[in-house]
Amino acid sequence: MAPIEFPSVEVKDGRFELRFDAPLAKEREAWLEVAVRDAGSAAYASLPGRSKAISAPLIGACWSATGDAGSNPTTHFLGTTDAQPLVLRTANVQSLRIEPSSILSGGLPITANVIAGSKSNYTEVAVRGATIAGGGVPFGDNDPDFLNEGPNRVADHYGTVGGGNNNLAGDLLGTAGDRAFATVAGGAYNNATGFAAAVGGGEINRASGEGAMVSGGRGNTASHSMSTAAGGLYNCAGGLVSFAAGHLAKVRVGSASGNAGFGCDGVATSGDANGDEGTFAWADSQVANFVSTGPNQFLIRAQGGVAINTNAPEAGAALTVAGNAVVQPPGALSFGSSTRQMINLFGTSYGIGVQSDTQYFRSGGNGYFAWFKGGVHSNTGLDPGAGGSLLMTLGPAASTPTGTARAQSFTNVSDRASKTGFEPIDASEVLTRVTQLPLSQWSYRNEPSVRHLGPVAQDFRAAFGLGEDERTISTVDSAGVALAAIQGLNAKLEAENTALREDNTAIRDEITSLREQQSRELIALQQQLTDLRALLAPAVADGSR
């Protein structure tokens, strides 16, 4: 065809614009070649290369690659005027697809699906308002750097996949609206299958509860409503409004929990629809499941210890608190099992506790038990600290017990069944030793103003060989010695009384014999007197004459 000439063309910064209608051949395409000449010159110089023009009825008006001026957005636009989607291609492959909704308002679609990224990305039939921002790979091993790739998909209304590959927003069951508003921000193999559920990233994560969220990590599941798996590895937030994070932290699921996923796979149900609702579980890196046992628990597994107000937990301590710990209400703090409550101090060899209605103190192998008054803490044994005093100590044989124990009574165990090695005693021998035992008045060194009376332990041990050592006297032994001495004294008194009674009987017999002899002698005297009077009677009579 004959060339079209444009005189007096304005050139700015080496650019110019030409507008014309190009006649097309029956193949409906044409090739354009441009030549220019300077003003006053007779010869044209061709610009290298040719451009292809395409018939306007196929794509609408042409748009300049350098921008357009004077366009009207009501009549000038890229897009479709019917119900067909708009598709943009790169390398002749779909890279962006915009699909109008079949739901209309005022005769116009109310929203659109925007599907970018892989040509394999898609939304399920009848889904509206979906967004796939990018990513995705056809099913299979197509990417040389990864395995088992897949497209990104939206299966329910208004779901969103930000990127990554093989991610799913919504589920593939029920209607297109029962799991709406689900979001997967990115990552790989993630599923947000609950209503308004979300997965932030990571891989193989699943948020299957309504409003549930998995922030990231791998193999985590938030399977109940409003539950959260914050990240980490293979955690399960299976209860209503539960939380799980770390490694293998498991909040038990309920009958109303959503699909399990890797995190909740194999976790036993709680027997309740809500699972262990309200439970918080965090587990450290140990390779063992850390499973909740009930609702509204706060569970932490930390092999290195838990610390509050400090970043340096004590070695071997489950809990380190810097500062005061207050428990309300009083008596609400428990340690150990229901029948054994134990506060372990400095390991398990020292502590205070109760067991089977018995309160006990454990002081280690050869440790002391001490009571201090006042003062401040000291790490030296039996040291009451500055300003303090030692009230009482109990300890092994090598120790020096001190202090005074006061009570209305002390009861020693004396059950026959608790004793063995019975031997008879010689109470009189015990009495003899008691009478020989040195006794004196004295004062304890820590109580110089208080006077006591009794033996010293060394003399008591030498006399009777009783007790644990020669520095202490057991109340059992002192009481036993006293009772034995009383028995010995009683036996001695009984023997003396028997001898006295025998002497008294002999004396009485002797007195009786004497009295009988005296009586006989008195009777003989009286007879003699009577006989004498009879002899004298005639003489008396003669004298009266």
Side-chain angles (χ1 to χ4, degrees):
M1 61 174 293
I4 303 174
E5 186 172 289
F6 295 85
S8 303
V9 176
E10 183 179 5
V11 179
K12 292 182 179 180
D13 298 324
R15 297 176 177 273
F16 59 91
E17 179 181 359
L18 300 175
R19 297 191 179 193
F20 61 96
D21 293 328
L24 299 177
K26 62 180 179 180
E27 292 82 9
R28 306 186 65 82
E29 64 180 33
W31 291 88
L32 303 178
E33 183 179 21
V34 179
V36 298
R37 67 178 180 181
D38 291 333
S41 174
Y44 283 91
S46 297
L47 298 179
R50 298 190 302 164
S51 298
K52 181 180 180 182
I54 303 176
S55 174
L58 292 179
I59 63 169
C62 293
W63 289 75
S64 170
T66 59
D68 295 277
S71 63
N72 183 346
T74 62
T75 57
H76 300 149
F77 57 86
L78 288 176
T80 64
T81 58
D82 55 14
Q84 296 300 313
L86 172 64
V87 176
L88 295 183
R89 296 189 176 197
T90 56
N92 201 28
V93 176
Q94 173 184 309
S95 297
L96 174 64
R97 181 182 180 92
I98 304 175
E99 302 172 341
S101 167
S102 61
I103 305 298
L104 306 179
S105 175
L108 300 175
I110 61 172
T111 186
N113 294 332
V114 178
I115 306 171
S118 171
K119 66 180 180 62
S120 300
N121 294 341
Y122 67 92
T123 64
E124 288 294 314
V125 177
V127 168
R128 62 181 178 273
T131 301
I132 300 176
V137 182
F139 281 116
D141 293 327
N142 298 290
D143 191 305
D145 295 324
F146 303 97
L147 298 174
N148 301 319
E149 309 94 85
N152 292 323
R153 297 158 291 160
V154 175
D156 283 84
H157 299 323
Y158 301 101
T160 300
V161 176
N165 87 78
N166 214 343
N167 296 312
L168 171 64
D171 68 354
L172 301 173
L173 303 173
T175 68
D178 59 350
R179 297 292 187 270
F181 307 107
T183 299
V184 177
Y189 321 108
N190 297 312
N191 296 338
T193 59
F195 183 90
V199 176
E203 61 176 342
I204 325 177
N205 297 310
R206 175 173 291 177
S208 56
E210 179 179 349
M213 183 184 73
V214 177
S215 299
R218 184 183 188 197
N220 300 301
T221 301
S223 66
H224 215 303
S225 298
M226 314 306 164
S227 60
T228 300
L233 185 63
Y234 299 121
N235 299 297
C236 170
L240 177 69
V241 295
S242 63
F243 177 95
H247 183 213
L248 297 172
K250 313 287 187 179
V251 178
R252 292 186 303 176
V253 301
S255 58
S257 298
N259 293 333
F262 280 96
C264 296
D265 188 22
V267 177
T269 61
S270 68
D272 184 88
N274 292 333
D276 286 341
E277 61 180 305
T279 289
F280 176 105
W282 185 89
D284 59 11
S285 62
Q286 297 180 67
V287 186
N289 287 337
F290 184 60
V291 185
S292 64
T293 56
N296 301 314
Q297 295 177 337
F298 187 87
L299 307 175
I300 297 176
R301 181 182 70 191
Q303 191 174 40
V306 176
I308 300 176
N309 291 334
T310 176
N311 63 351
E314 291 288 336
L319 175 64
T320 302
V321 178
N324 294 330
V326 179
V327 179
Q328 293 290 347
L333 186 61
S334 297
F335 299 85
S337 67
S338 59
T339 58
R340 176 185 176 93
Q341 301 290 320
M342 182 69 187
I343 302 176
N344 287 319
L345 307 173
F346 197 63
T348 58
S349 297
Y350 299 82
I352 303 171
V354 292
Q355 182 175 358
S356 299
D357 300 324
T358 301
Q359 184 173 358
Y360 63 91
F361 303 87
R362 178 170 286 125
S363 299
N366 294 315
Y368 295 90
F369 174 78
W371 284 352
F372 297 121
K373 177 181 179 181
V376 296
H377 176 71
S378 171
N379 286 327
T380 303
L382 297 182
D383 183 357
S389 60
L390 180 63
L391 296 181
M392 188 176 79
T393 61
L394 301 175
S399 66
T400 303
T402 63
T404 301
R406 295 179 175 89
Q408 289 185 338
S409 66
F410 291 93
T411 301
N412 299 105
V413 174
S414 194
D415 181 14
R416 180 179 297 275
S418 67
K419 300 179 180 181
T420 187
F422 291 94
E423 294 179 1
I425 64 166
D426 185 345
S428 62
E429 177 66 21
V430 173
L431 176 61
T432 300
R433 295 182 184 182
V434 168
T435 59
Q436 297 173 353
L437 182 66
L439 299 175
S440 59
Q441 288 189 1
W442 40 265
S443 297
Y444 285 111
R445 293 181 182 274
N446 65 334
E447 294 179 326
S449 62
V450 180
R451 302 294 290 168
H452 300 279
L453 185 151
V456 297
Q458 289 84 351
D459 292 341
F460 190 87
R461 175 82 169 188
F464 304 107
L466 301 175
E468 182 180 2
D469 54 65
E470 62 177 10
R471 305 180 68 182
T472 60
I473 299 176
S474 169
T475 57
V476 172
D477 294 333
S478 60
V481 167
L483 291 174
I486 291 172
Q487 287 185 349
L489 180 60
N490 180 69
K492 181 178 181 180
L493 291 176
E494 286 290 338
E496 291 178 352
N497 286 339
T498 299
L500 288 175
R501 282 194 296 270
E502 291 176 351
D503 290 344
N504 288 339
T505 300
I507 292 172
R508 284 197 298 269
D509 291 343
E510 185 176 353
I511 292 174
T512 299
S513 176
L514 289 175
R515 285 178 176 175
E516 291 176 350
Q517 182 178 353
Q518 288 177 349
S519 178
R520 288 192 300 270
E521 290 177 353
L522 181 60
I523 292 172
L525 288 175
Q526 289 178 343
Q527 185 62 45
Q528 291 176 0
L529 181 60
T530 299
D531 293 341
L532 181 60
R533 284 178 178 174
L535 292 175
L536 294 178
V540 173
D542 289 339
S544 64
R545 289 183 205 171

